[in-house]
Amino acid sequence: MPFSFDILSKNYRINRIKSRYITKLFVDSIFKFSIYLRILVVLFLLSSGSMKIFFLLFILQIYSYYRNFILMNAADKFSITIFLSLSIFWITNDLNIKSVALLYTGVISTFSYVFAAYHKIISPMWRNGKGLSGLFKTEYYGSSTLLKLSNNIFYCQLLSWGTIIFQFSAVIALLSTTYCLVFGVLSSLFHIFNSVALKIRGFFLVFSATLPCIYYASTVIVDFINISK
C-alpha cells in the first residue's frame, strides 16, 4: 500500500494543510472512490464529448497528482504529459493544433524509450547484466522463477541487451509505418511481461495508450520524407 494515507501523511504537502476537512479528502476511501469515478467520467466523456465532463476529469487528474506526487514513478509523471497534450487535442476544433498534439504525444512517447535505452547503455550494471540480476532478486520485483534466472548472468546480460536494443529501435518506428506496427506488438509484449513478471503495472496502460499516436506520427513523418524526396 505505497499510496496509503498513513504513508502519504508524511508528505509535507499534506502536513501543511491546516484544515482537517480538506485533509479528509486525501483518505484512502476517497482516493479509491476518485479512481472509480474517473473511469465513469472517461466513459461519459467518450460518449458525450461534454466540456463539463472533461473539466471534471481534469479536476480528478489534478487531485490524484497532488495527493500522490511524492510517490509518483516515471509512468505517473509521463501520464500527466500525455493528459495535457491530449487535453489540447480535445478542447480545440483546429485540425492543425489537433495534429500537433498527436504528433507531440507520439514523438515524446517514442523518445522516452530511446532515453531509457541511453541511460541503460551508459550504466555498467546494465551492460553486464548485474543490474537486471539484482532487480530479479528484490523482494517486490522478484519471484521464484526470476530468482533462478538471476543466478545465470549470461541470460540476464542477454535480456539487458535485448531491452536496450528494443528501446533504441523505437526511433525506427517513426521512420517506417511497417516497423511501427511491429514495434507496437513488441512494445505491448514488453510491457505485459513487465506487468506480469515484475509487477511494473503502471507503464502498460500509459505507454499502450500512446501507440496510436506513435503510428499517427510515423505516417506523418514518412509522408513528409517521401514528399521531400
Side-chain angles (χ1 to χ4, degrees), residues 24-159:
K24 285 183 178 180
L25 292 175
F26 298 107
V27 298
D28 296 342
S29 58
I30 298 297
F31 175 58
K32 290 179 181 178
F33 173 76
S34 76
I35 295 174
Y36 299 133
L37 180 59
R38 188 154 34 157
I39 294 172
L40 290 175
V41 167
V42 168
L43 293 175
F44 277 115
L45 185 61
L46 290 173
S47 62
S48 68
S50 169
M51 285 301 297
K52 292 180 180 178
I53 298 294
F54 171 77
F55 182 71
L56 178 57
L57 178 62
F58 184 79
I59 295 299
L60 290 170
Q61 183 74 13
I62 296 299
Y63 164 78
S64 178
Y65 172 78
Y66 187 88
R67 182 188 187 276
N68 304 326
F69 177 80
I70 196 170
L71 293 175
M72 280 187 167
N73 60 23
D76 297 315
K77 294 176 181 177
F78 188 62
S79 70
I80 296 169
T81 301
I82 297 170
F83 182 78
L84 291 176
S85 62
L86 294 184
S87 296
I88 294 172
F89 175 89
W90 188 270
I91 64 179
T92 182
N93 292 322
D94 190 310
L95 294 180
N96 291 323
I97 296 177
K98 286 181 179 290
S99 178
V100 170
L102 292 180
L103 274 170
Y104 173 78
T105 305
V107 170
I108 199 69
S109 177
T110 301
F111 277 95
S112 67
Y113 286 95
V114 178
F115 294 148
Y118 169 75
H119 286 293
K120 287 182 177 67
I121 203 170
I122 64 174
S123 167
M125 295 291 287
W126 263 94
R127 292 198 302 270
N128 60 27
K130 292 181 179 178
L132 200 57
S133 174
L135 185 69
F136 289 162
K137 291 178 181 178
T138 58
E139 181 179 354
Y140 182 79
Y141 297 110
S143 66
S144 56
T145 303
L146 292 177
L147 186 60
K148 294 177 182 177
L149 184 61
S150 67
N151 295 323
N152 191 316
I153 199 64
F154 172 76
Y155 287 135
C156 289
Q157 192 171 20
L158 195 64
L159 282 173

